[in-house]
Amino acid sequence: MDLTSPPAYLPHQRGPLHDLPDTPQAYDAVLTDVTEQALRRLTPQGNLEHPDCVDDIGDTSLGITSLLALAWQRTKDPRLPDAVHRSLTFHLRERVYRDDNPGYPNLRVRGSGLPYARYTLAAGAHPVGDWPSTVWALLQAVNVLDTADGLVPDERRAELLEVARGYWSWLTEATFFNPQEAGNQAIGCVVGGLMLARHLAPEDGEPVRARALALYSDEIRAHRVRDRGALLPPEHGGAYDNNYGPISLSFLAQAHRVSGEEVFAEDGEALARYLDARLTGGGFDNGGPRYSEQHSAFESVLGLRYFGARIGADLGRYRGDSRWARHAVKADGGVDGHFAWMLVWQIQDTTRWHREPSTGPARHQLRAGTVSVAFDDRMTPAVVEAAGTYYLPAAVNRQHGFGPVTDGFLLCRPMGEVRVRDARADGLRAKLVTKPVVGRDHVLRSVRSLYVTDGTTLWTTVAVERLDGTPYLLAGLPYAEDDGDRVRRTAHGAVSSPGGLRLTHPEAEGAEHFDARTELTQQQAAFALAADPRGYGNPDEGWRHLVSSTALEAGPLPDAPDDLHVFAVRHGTEEPLTVAVEWAEEGLTVRTDAFTAVLGPDDAHAEPTLTLRAAVRG
């Protein structure tokens, strides 16, 4: 095991998406660059595909065509009509398939003759990707139809419209709908139907629109998955994926833009609030049933910008992959047409970024300044951020989380209702989480976790009925830290504790023992532990097989009340920390040099009470 190599950068967590200029002039510069690349690449046959493109290829030439059509609409560049006409002819002649792809498993009708797009051009090669590739081809087609008036001959436009209708029929009649259980693909298909309907005569368009809305209601919305109090479109079998979730948000934004149906606004706002709560202040996120740490970029801009403005949250802090900042690219930096419709839509949309954090308290997040805590569904911290360092839940004896540990047993899994109380005072924000937990001794105990921040550091105080043995607080796995516009791996964090603090590392080796001193990323370890290959396996499920990890462990306060074990840590500084905890008439009182908090008795609804006061400084 190499413990001496320098920390590696996380490959996909880069700059916040709202740092990209999004003025009309900036987008015109992007389109100019795309135009020049495309005109140099255009083959005599009219092909605009990147020479290195193999997978996700069936829609890419048409995607570049749609960008050229938009550029012509904005600039009237005289070179573009011929390029659009030739490339559109190429797609219609060479990239529209009507014979069933050998091995495709999701057909409902054999030999339909309906057009579809292939994920990979070779017959029988990875045919399972044909459904999303056909969704993408439909979206590229309707974008060309939106911008092609006066640009291509009427007969060519009519041919494209007929192919687009065929794509829709193949997706909704010849195959099972949404065969990969991928919310982003399914909502994208609905968007394609809504946009297609606008190009058809009313007697043809209204049934397509109605079918699209029904598919959303019956096949997507009815199967939403609950996580952290929100109902979310399922993504590859899970509630949310930090790569595909924001892409779904963009599709919901476009669905609302083109249809005006309030259901898309409601569901988009719910997803946006969920994302705002799970996302750290610095924009770091991880987790999902498909790509554990892979972030989208331009594909997410429309949704984050559109719904960030609607809910009043700075969703643009989401760290995207700046290599795909404007459009898809290959390894050499050359433009690829994949997902080109997202660039078209964000250029057409005039919403501006909302850059201020949301002001209301959120159950699953505590955030102020440069400090944030994102809580999971059980109100255990999923990510702690302080002083530019990100901490994940640590693992001990196959148990993951933040909380007291006694005799190797982690007390953080609730056995009953979890109560939450928020408080603010003089620049401080606090959250009290009360959980009933059961240990190996079958005794029900109440774990009270108090989180307080001044926007620079985070104080965590945990109190639980007295435990046997020599308990300690599992206080996180230091995992990554900000480094300019990038995020890099780390094995250190600025943390202090009055009860004594130690940073431990697994003694055993192997993927199930995560040592933060190595360059291995959480995503790599999660896929190594997943049941299926990367891209198909569920990294969240794989990560749950983690046995042990690097961990911060804090000892109990030496002068806590006799009936309690109390633990305290402060993330964000290594300065010595003093915490006093005592019973008082009004409840359990926690005092530091920055605040006094009183964990009072339950109110009439059995909810805990919390009083917070900033310390008086002389």
Side-chain angles (χ1 to χ4, degrees), residues 32 36 90 97 414 448 472 534 612:
T32 296
E36 298 305 323
F90 168 81
Y97 292 84
R448 283 171 288 183
Y472 63 89
R534 187 191 181 283
L612 181 67

Side-chain angles (χ1 to χ4, degrees), residues 61-315:
S61 182
L62 189 59
I64 299 293
T65 303
S66 73
L67 292 173
L68 296 182
L70 179 63
W72 180 81
Q73 190 181 68
R74 292 166 72 92
T75 67
K76 296 300 186 289
D77 185 329
R79 299 174 297 172
L80 293 178
D82 179 64
V84 169
H85 177 70
R86 288 168 57 195
S87 60
L88 179 56
T89 299
F90 168 81
H91 177 83
L92 294 172
R93 184 182 66 245
E94 302 291 342
R95 294 296 180 258
V96 177
Y97 292 84
R98 296 181 182 273
D99 294 332
D100 295 348
N101 199 352
Y104 184 70
N106 301 314
L107 289 176
R108 300 176 64 187
V109 178
R110 290 179 59 85
S112 69
L114 290 169
Y116 67 94
R118 285 187 178 175
Y119 175 80
T120 299
L121 299 182
H126 201 85
V128 73
D130 290 354
W131 201 87
S133 288
T134 303
V135 174
W136 310 155
L138 171 61
L139 293 171
Q140 312 285 25
V142 292
N143 273 341
V144 173
L145 291 170
D146 279 351
T147 54
D149 284 341
L151 184 57
V152 297
D154 290 345
E155 62 275 12
R156 185 68 73 223
R157 189 179 186 280
E159 185 180 356
L160 177 62
L161 178 58
E162 195 57 34
V163 166
R165 291 184 67 174
Y167 285 154
W168 171 254
S169 296
W170 188 86
L171 291 164
T172 59
E173 299 170 17
T175 71
F176 288 95
F177 182 79
N178 190 21
Q180 295 184 22
E181 297 182 353
N184 75 97
Q185 298 172 9
I187 304 171
C189 183
V190 167
V191 171
L194 294 172
M195 296 182 69
L196 172 65
R198 302 186 305 176
H199 291 283
L200 301 174
E203 63 273 17
D204 296 324
E206 187 51 40
V208 171
R209 176 186 168 91
R211 174 69 168 147
L213 294 175
L215 285 169
Y216 183 75
S217 175
D218 299 340
E219 301 295 336
I220 302 171
R221 199 165 197 263
H223 298 281
R224 288 176 298 170
V225 180
R226 185 176 296 277
D227 185 45
R228 306 187 196 191
L231 285 172
L232 308 171
E235 188 54 65
H236 286 283
Y240 179 84
D241 184 276
N242 71 325
N243 176 49
Y244 289 128
I247 296 175
S248 284
L249 195 65
S250 287
F251 282 131
L252 287 169
Q254 182 67 1
H256 185 246
R257 290 182 66 236
V258 301
S259 74
E261 294 288 337
E262 275 305 301
V263 66
F264 299 118
E266 293 171 8
D267 292 355
E269 289 175 12
L271 176 54
R273 291 190 182 95
Y274 168 89
L275 194 153
D276 186 36
R278 72 170 286 145
L279 194 62
T280 61
F284 172 83
D285 188 19
N286 75 298
R290 192 67 180 269
Y291 293 115
S292 188
E293 287 182 312
Q294 182 169 317
H295 271 39
S296 50
F298 81 99
E299 313 101 306
S300 304
V301 166
L302 175 66
L304 295 171
R305 197 172 66 192
Y306 189 83
F307 284 109
R310 288 184 68 94
I311 69 170
D314 57 335
L315 298 184

Side-chain angles (χ1 to χ4, degrees), residues 326-539:
R326 300 298 193 179
H327 45 66
V329 297
K330 290 301 183 185
D332 63 358
V335 62
D336 180 22
H338 188 49
F339 267 54
W341 65 86
M342 286 294 193
L343 177 57
V344 172
W345 298 342
Q346 64 174 276
I347 292 174
Q348 293 171 336
D349 180 54
T350 58
T351 306
R352 300 275 69 85
W353 287 112
H354 181 95
R355 297 181 178 274
E356 299 300 320
S358 51
T359 57
R363 177 180 173 89
H364 293 90
Q365 187 189 65
L366 176 67
R367 180 186 175 201
T370 58
V371 172
S372 64
V373 185
F375 296 89
D376 65 16
D377 212 33
R378 302 181 298 183
M379 289 305 298
T380 297
V383 185
V384 169
E385 170 194 20
T389 299
Y390 303 98
Y391 304 83
L392 302 180
V396 57
N397 292 342
R398 301 184 185 275
Q399 305 158 94
H400 303 183
F402 289 72
V405 177
T406 178
D407 192 26
F409 189 83
L410 174 60
L411 296 167
C412 76
R413 293 171 299 281
M415 183 64 68
E417 192 65 27
V418 180
R419 312 290 181 140
V420 179
R421 178 75 74 169
D422 288 275
R424 297 186 182 190
D426 301 320
L428 298 170
R429 295 190 181 189
K431 188 182 294 285
L432 174 63
V433 177
T434 304
K435 292 183 183 182
V437 299
V438 175
R440 294 195 191 279
D441 56 7
H442 290 211
V443 174
L444 183 69
R445 293 178 172 86
S446 176
V447 175
R448 283 171 288 183
S449 302
L450 173 68
Y451 306 89
V452 181
T453 182
D454 60 359
T456 302
T457 57
L458 173 72
W459 292 264
T460 302
T461 307
V462 179
V464 62
E465 288 88 346
R466 197 147 193 93
L467 302 166
D468 295 331
T470 55
Y472 63 89
L473 180 72
L474 197 63
L477 155 65
Y479 174 68
E481 63 185 4
D482 292 335
D483 184 9
D485 290 338
R486 299 292 301 277
V487 179
R488 67 178 184 180
R489 291 277 290 101
T490 189
H492 172 78
V495 186
S496 56
S497 172
L501 187 71
R502 58 186 180 270
L503 181 64
T504 66
H505 304 284
E507 295 181 359
E509 296 187 12
E512 67 273 21
H513 303 282
F514 189 83
D515 192 322
R517 294 172 295 178
T518 70
E519 291 190 0
L520 191 71
T521 66
Q522 186 270 348
Q523 174 175 298
Q524 290 170 325
F527 273 113
L529 295 170
D532 296 303
R534 187 191 181 283
Y536 304 94
N538 184 332

